[in-house]
Amino acid sequence: MIQILVFAPLLAAIVAGLGNRSIGSFPAKVITTGALFLSCALAWMIFVPFMTGGASAYVAPVLKWVQSGDMSFDWALRVDTLTAVMLVVITSVSALVHLYSWGYMDEDPDQPRFFAYLSLFTFAMLMLVTADNLVQMFFGWEGVGLASYLLIGFWFKKPSANAAAIKAFVVNRVGDLGFMLGIFGTFLVFNTTSISEILAAAPGMQGSTITFLGMRLYTMDILCLLLFVGAMGKSAQLGLHTWLPDAMEGPTPVSALIHAATMVTAGVFMVCRLSPMFEVAPVASGFVIAIGALTCFFAATVGTTQTDIKRVIAYSTCSQLGYMFFAAGVGAYNAAMFHLFTHAFFKALLFLGAGSVIHAMHHEQDMRYYGGLRKQIPITFWAMMAGTLAITGVGLWFAHVGFAGFYSKDAILESAFARGTELSQVAFFLGIFAALLTSFYSWRLMFLTFWGKPRWIESEHIQHAVHHGHDEPDEHNPAHQEDAGHDPHHPANPAHAHDGTGGYHPHESPAVMLLPLIVLSIGAVFAGAVFSHAFLDSAEFWGGSLYYNEHLVHAMHAVPAWVKIAPGLVMLIGLAIAWNNYIRDTSAPARFVGQFGFLYQFLKNKWYFDELYHAIFVKPAFWLGRKFWTIGDIGIIDRFGPNGAASLVAASSRFASKVQTGYLYSYALIMLLGLVAAVSWVIATMAGQ
């Protein structure tokens, strides 16, 4: 069963990719989507027995892989509770994204290639989460990076998409270098790459030291820090986060697949899988707490100023990943995985809902040009509402009833407070503040998009649709035109200038796009209530697949009442601020910007990380590249290599042309002199003998 689950997407990707346009779009979509729904069904069949206690962990061999001296590892599929959770998350979201793409990418001429990339990405993720050794995990890790590069840069004729793909690839390679060094170090210490053997031996390594960079340091701290650098890149944590918002240049279904439940959660999964190692590495765990809490805070602040609907949700993803990491850092690995699980449903819902809005608004992504869409696209509205209620953690703490985020995010905050260390307390308060900002920018998105007076007439995309027809052929209305923030080039239709519509009529997405929204809405509403007990309170459910801190779980439930109330309170405060600024008094945001212009620009420019990295890394790299080119390549290699050889041949030719007079007696004299020289050399040689 597990073999079919893992390899069905790969086979589908091969057929769709190699067949491409020769087999046509429809067969490619049927094959890839069918394979993903098959994998999804099998994933739930594996997961449910773990939920009910009727399954145990096992390893399914695939093939003999590498045997080199003392190092050997096979390709084998590890199935336990942690794997089962990830299988459900990956295949469920991917299957729904495939189905959704039938509608969203309907006019794209390269659909077979797109669906092949989606399936290849899914296979790489499945290979990663079923890994029984670190090398296999790394291969899946890199496969995910490759597929994400292809998907982000899918519209390769769009310069910004190419730049975003390269940025994601380069930044992730920085993280992957740390991951590789961590794997090398782990093999050096444990003499194996088997995850089960490493985790069994990890507790015995507590207190051991190793020489690193000329210093004597704790072994497990060094190994875990290096491994976590890989997680920072893959899961877009502060410092290696810059690729995530730019990845929005890919098609919206790609955003849902990568940023909701798959690629960005790989780092969280890796830390939880290796949790016994992190438990004996206090310095590394503290670093995980710090980075997670800072990422959570940073991304939430930036999200408050974004106007691109997809970028708001992208920064929300970055912030939620910060929650997961500082949960893992405090030892609440079960809470981290629970938030990963619930987050997959409501974040995929928000991304696909945003895609439905973009589809309705003729590829426009700027929320400033929305408004009044609540009655125009009601199903999309209610789906987005469910996702917003979930991500903001709406619920009744005294009745312990709420939407998905209420259970998982509150569990993380309570665990951080219950841990009781200074660092965990700081993480708690940063998390509370981030929850306030999350509520603000989430409701800001809803109010700007679905409430208020329509501002469609101000959009270049809408003006284009009004003047050229909403249902024009794809060559005049390509999907890769989706972007944000452009001013219109055409005058507004005076007949509709007063109502802000410009004569444009948004339409609801087709059924094939709405069905995934409905399914994900169910998850956003009920996933927390249904699965909270198993994920949070049952050590038997996890079955040793991660480190389960039972003492911390009990302490989490015993935190003071104000700790339980705080997340809901800040959610209401954020809602009130957003309502005041975007419904009651729409001039308030402009006054704030006028009064706190520097702060606004600082946040809008993402704390100037891009500019800083450009100055520190990009410009010096280009300068160094130019020097290598001008001095090394042109000045040395070309000069003394091909160009030098060519110059020598040319000079020799010129000399030879001057020597050749064309007179026969001159050539005879030269031949005679040569003959005399040769005979003299022979005579001298014989006399010497």
Side-chain angles (χ1 to χ4, degrees):
M1 182 185 296
I2 184 64
Q3 291 91 341
I4 297 174
L5 188 158
V6 172
F7 288 102
L10 175 63
L11 294 175
I14 293 172
V15 173
L18 296 181
N20 205 355
R21 297 187 185 183
S22 62
I23 66 172
S25 297
F26 184 75
K29 292 190 291 187
V30 170
I31 292 169
T32 53
T33 307
L36 260 298
F37 272 95
L38 172 62
S39 293
C40 180
L42 295 175
W44 280 98
M45 291 172 63
I46 291 173
F47 175 73
V48 171
F50 281 102
M51 275 288 299
T52 58
S56 57
Y58 63 93
V59 176
V62 176
L63 54 82
K64 295 288 184 180
W65 200 2
V66 173
Q67 178 70 53
S68 178
D70 295 333
M71 183 179 69
S72 66
F73 44 85
D74 300 330
W75 190 346
L77 306 178
R78 182 180 183 84
V79 181
D80 54 20
T81 305
L82 187 60
T83 304
V85 170
M86 294 302 297
L87 292 178
V88 164
V89 166
I90 294 167
T91 58
S92 297
V93 173
S94 184
L96 293 172
V97 167
H98 274 73
L99 181 62
Y100 180 92
S101 300
W102 280 54
Y104 194 86
M105 302 295 290
D106 183 55
E107 296 178 339
D108 198 289
D110 295 313
Q111 292 179 69
R113 179 167 62 91
F114 178 78
F115 280 87
Y117 290 170
L118 285 183
S119 296
L120 178 64
F121 180 96
T122 307
F123 164 73
M125 275 300 305
L126 293 173
M127 182 180 178
L128 191 160
V129 301
T130 56
D132 190 45
N133 60 75
L134 292 177
V135 178
Q136 183 182 334
M137 183 182 289
F138 182 78
F139 269 78
W141 198 270
E142 294 303 301
V144 169
L146 170 64
S148 68
Y149 170 81
L150 297 173
L151 285 167
I152 295 169
F154 177 75
W155 289 321
F156 56 86
K157 295 181 179 179
K158 188 178 179 183
S160 57
N162 278 327
I166 293 171
K167 189 175 185 179
F169 191 82
V170 171
V171 173
N172 274 276
R173 296 298 73 73
V174 175
D176 293 351
L177 175 61
F179 191 40
M180 280 193 299
L181 293 174
I183 293 174
F184 295 155
T186 302
F187 177 76
L188 177 66
V189 171
F190 294 97
N191 199 34
T192 182
T193 62
S194 171
I195 293 175
S196 57
E197 294 178 15
I198 292 169
L199 298 184
M205 295 298 298
Q206 188 170 12
S208 68
T209 59
I210 191 173
T211 301
F212 183 74
L213 299 178
M215 297 177 287
R216 200 69 183 173
L217 303 169
Y218 287 108
T219 304
M220 297 309 297
D221 281 318
I222 293 299
L223 295 181
C224 290
L225 283 171
L226 290 172
L227 292 168
F228 181 64
V229 171
M232 288 176 62
K234 199 66 72 182
S235 297
Q237 293 300 282
L238 190 65
L240 297 178
H241 68 280
T242 55
W243 68 270
L244 185 67
D246 290 354
M248 297 298 102
E249 293 293 337
T252 297
V254 172
S255 303
L257 186 62
I258 292 178
H259 306 110
T262 49
M263 177 177 174
V264 294
T265 61
V268 180
F269 164 80
M270 185 266 286
V271 171
C272 291
R273 170 65 82 197
L274 304 180
S275 53
M277 293 179 65
F278 283 84
E279 279 301 301
V280 293
V283 175
S285 294
F287 185 73
V288 174
I289 296 174
I291 292 295
L294 290 172
T295 303
C296 177
F297 171 75
F298 155 78
T301 62
V302 176
T304 60
T305 61
Q306 302 300 303
T307 57
D308 185 316
I309 188 172
K310 286 171 64 176
R311 287 182 179 266
V312 173
I313 304 173
Y315 278 106
S316 166
T317 299
C318 193
S319 183
Q320 299 304 310
L321 288 165
Y323 279 108
M324 299 175 204
F325 274 114
F326 80 69
V330 302
Y333 304 99
N334 55 327
M337 287 303 302
F338 188 34
H339 197 51
L340 184 156
F341 183 80
T342 61
H343 176 265
F345 291 102
F346 61 71
K347 187 53 58 71
L349 174 61
L350 288 171
F351 268 118
L352 296 185
S356 184
V357 174
I358 295 168
H359 184 270
M361 296 299 289
H362 205 73
H363 309 309
E364 180 61 73
Q365 293 180 198
D366 197 319
M367 299 184 299
R368 295 172 297 179
Y369 304 143
Y370 290 166
L373 291 173
R374 188 171 73 260
K375 296 180 180 179
Q376 306 293 328
I377 46 175
I379 299 176
T380 300
F381 162 71
W382 284 111
M384 292 284 287
M385 177 62 76
T388 302
L389 293 170
I391 194 173
T392 56
V394 173
L396 302 174
W397 69 272
F398 54 87
H400 201 60
V401 174
F403 292 82
F406 166 77
Y407 294 90
S408 56
K409 188 162 66 176
D410 284 23
I412 290 174
L413 292 169
E414 292 166 13
S415 297
F417 185 88
R419 184 59 189 253
T421 65
E422 291 184 2
L423 195 56
S424 69
Q425 297 289 304
V426 171
F428 167 77
F429 286 107
L430 286 176
I432 287 292
F433 188 69
L436 186 151
L437 297 180
T438 300
S439 176
F440 168 75
Y441 65 64
S442 296
W443 289 111
R444 170 178 175 261
L445 183 154
M446 292 296 293
F447 292 147
L448 283 174
T449 303
F450 296 106
W451 274 271
K453 182 181 177 181
R455 301 177 298 278
W456 317 337
I457 197 172
E458 302 174 31
S459 167
E460 179 189 27
H461 293 284
I462 299 303
Q463 291 281 10
H464 184 273
V466 171
H467 285 78
H468 298 285
H470 186 74
D471 296 320
E472 60 190 335
D474 179 63
E475 60 265 22
H476 301 136
N477 178 31
H480 64 249
Q481 285 186 353
E482 65 171 32
D483 55 21
H486 294 280
D487 296 324
H489 298 311
H490 306 288
N493 186 342
H496 298 276
H498 67 283
D499 60 7
T501 67
Y504 183 74
H505 301 285
H507 58 83
E508 190 65 271
S509 298
V512 74
M513 292 174 62
L514 295 178
L515 181 60
L517 295 183
I518 295 170
V519 175
L520 290 168
S521 297
I522 296 172
V525 174
F526 298 109
V530 173
F531 298 104
S532 63
H533 175 75
F535 277 78
L536 298 177
D537 299 320
S538 176
E540 291 76 17
F541 168 72
W542 291 108
S545 60
L546 52 69
Y547 181 83
Y548 184 84
N549 192 330
E550 195 164 351
H551 174 75
L552 183 61
V553 170
H554 291 308
M556 175 191 75
H557 291 303
V559 296
W562 71 267
V563 175
K564 296 179 179 292
I565 296 173
L569 180 62
V570 298
M571 183 279 298
L572 292 174
I573 295 172
L575 169 61
I577 297 172
W579 177 83
N580 180 73
N581 288 358
Y582 299 100
I583 299 295
R584 192 187 74 85
D585 183 8
T586 55
S587 63
R591 293 198 304 271
F592 178 88
V593 172
Q595 189 171 0
F596 301 98
F598 172 78
L599 176 62
Y600 175 78
Q601 288 299 325
F602 179 73
L603 298 180
K604 187 173 180 61
N605 287 282
K606 301 157 287 189
W607 292 26
Y608 292 99
F609 267 101
D610 283 333
E611 290 80 2
L612 180 66
Y613 284 4
H614 185 78
I616 296 176
F617 300 113
V618 178
K619 290 180 67 176
F622 272 100
W623 177 85
L624 188 63
R626 284 192 296 269
K627 292 300 180 183
F628 274 119
W629 175 49
T630 55
I631 299 174
D633 193 18
I634 297 176
I636 298 175
I637 298 174
D638 285 350
R639 182 181 180 185
F640 297 102
N643 291 347
S647 299
L648 181 62
V649 171
S652 302
S653 300
R654 288 192 296 269
F655 176 77
S657 66
K658 293 179 180 179
V659 173
Q660 295 182 19
T661 61
Y663 293 106
L664 183 61
Y665 62 82
S666 298
Y667 298 155
L669 177 62
I670 293 173
M671 292 173 64
L672 180 61
L673 292 174
L675 180 61
V676 170
V679 172
S680 300
W681 180 80
V682 171
I683 293 171
T685 304
M686 293 177 66
Q689 293 177 349

